[in-house]
Every structure is written in structure tokens, then in C-alpha cells.
Amino acid sequence: DLGIPRLMPVLGGAMAGTGSLMASQNKELWEKALKSYGQALRQLADRKQDPTKLTTLDDWFFKTEPKKDKAYLVKVMEWKLTRGTFRPGLLQKVELNNDEEVRRCFATPDCIRI
């Protein structure tokens, strides 16, 4: 398992102009994209004020088993915001969620939309 669903947002942004990648089931195209992931991540990190924050969060995201609780959701949102467009107040809104409700949503397939 290459974790392709978890990589799609990163690769999609890193490989701008290759819109066909997201719709592709071509194994070779995906392997090429996955091989370029580290370089694309470094290029993205180099444009950040704190490059190590992105690389550290990215390492955490791909090496940590999901806990399916509020702390995990907050950290995923921090990872996502560090990689992409800053959205003022979004992290704080995520932090306002009740842990029990977050756990319930993780257990209910239709509850969370990512």
C-alpha cells in the first residue's frame, strides 16, 4: 500500500499542471509522482517561513497511525494548513470541537468530509 489517497493532495499541488494525475489509474504515472514527492515537499518547505515545520509535520502525518480523536484532527489540520493556503481562524475552529464528538464523527463514515 503506497498510501496514495493520503498523498493525492500533496502530489496534486506539487505537480501543478498535471491535472490528469488525480484522475489517472496509471501505475507508472503514480510511481513517477511518488518518486518526486520528496523533492516537491522540499521545494514547498523552502518557500515557508519555517521549512522544518512542514517537513516535521509531514513526517508525522505519514508515520503516525491515526488516533481518530481531537488531538489527531487538530494536528492533521495544522499539517494541511502548513502545506497549503493559510485560512485565518480555521485551526481555532477545529480546536473548539468536543473530543467525544470528534471520536463519534470518525466512527461515522458520513460525518467527516475531507
Side-chain angles (χ1 to χ4, degrees):
D1 175 37
L2 297 174
I4 288 175
R6 294 181 87 190
L7 291 174
M8 287 175 64
V10 178
L11 292 171
M15 299 188 67
T18 60
S20 62
L21 177 64
M22 294 300 114
S24 176
Q25 294 184 17
N26 180 312
K27 183 179 176 183
E28 290 77 26
L29 183 62
W30 274 101
E31 286 175 350
K32 181 180 177 186
L34 289 169
K35 285 180 185 176
S36 69
Y37 179 80
Q39 179 183 0
L41 181 68
R42 283 188 298 280
Q43 288 174 352
L44 181 61
D46 287 344
R47 295 194 311 252
K48 302 291 181 180
Q49 195 172 38
D50 180 4
T52 59
K53 181 177 180 180
L54 174 58
T55 55
T56 301
L57 283 169
D58 196 75
D59 189 54
W60 168 85
F61 183 77
F62 288 106
K63 293 182 179 175
T64 301
E65 185 67 30
K67 301 268 192 288
K68 299 181 180 180
D69 61 7
K70 178 182 170 181
Y72 177 77
L73 179 63
V74 168
K75 190 104 173 187
V76 167
M77 184 54 62
E78 184 180 358
W79 168 78
K80 184 169 177 38
L81 291 171
T82 302
R83 289 178 35 246
T85 304
F86 177 70
R87 305 210 189 287
L90 185 56
L91 184 60
Q92 289 78 12
K93 287 179 183 176
V94 170
E95 290 171 334
L96 290 174
N97 283 294
N98 175 291
D99 188 53
E100 185 177 313
E101 184 68 12
V102 171
R103 288 174 190 269
R104 186 189 67 74
C105 281
F106 270 118
T108 307
D110 294 340
C111 190
I112 297 180
R113 306 249 191 266
I114 298 178

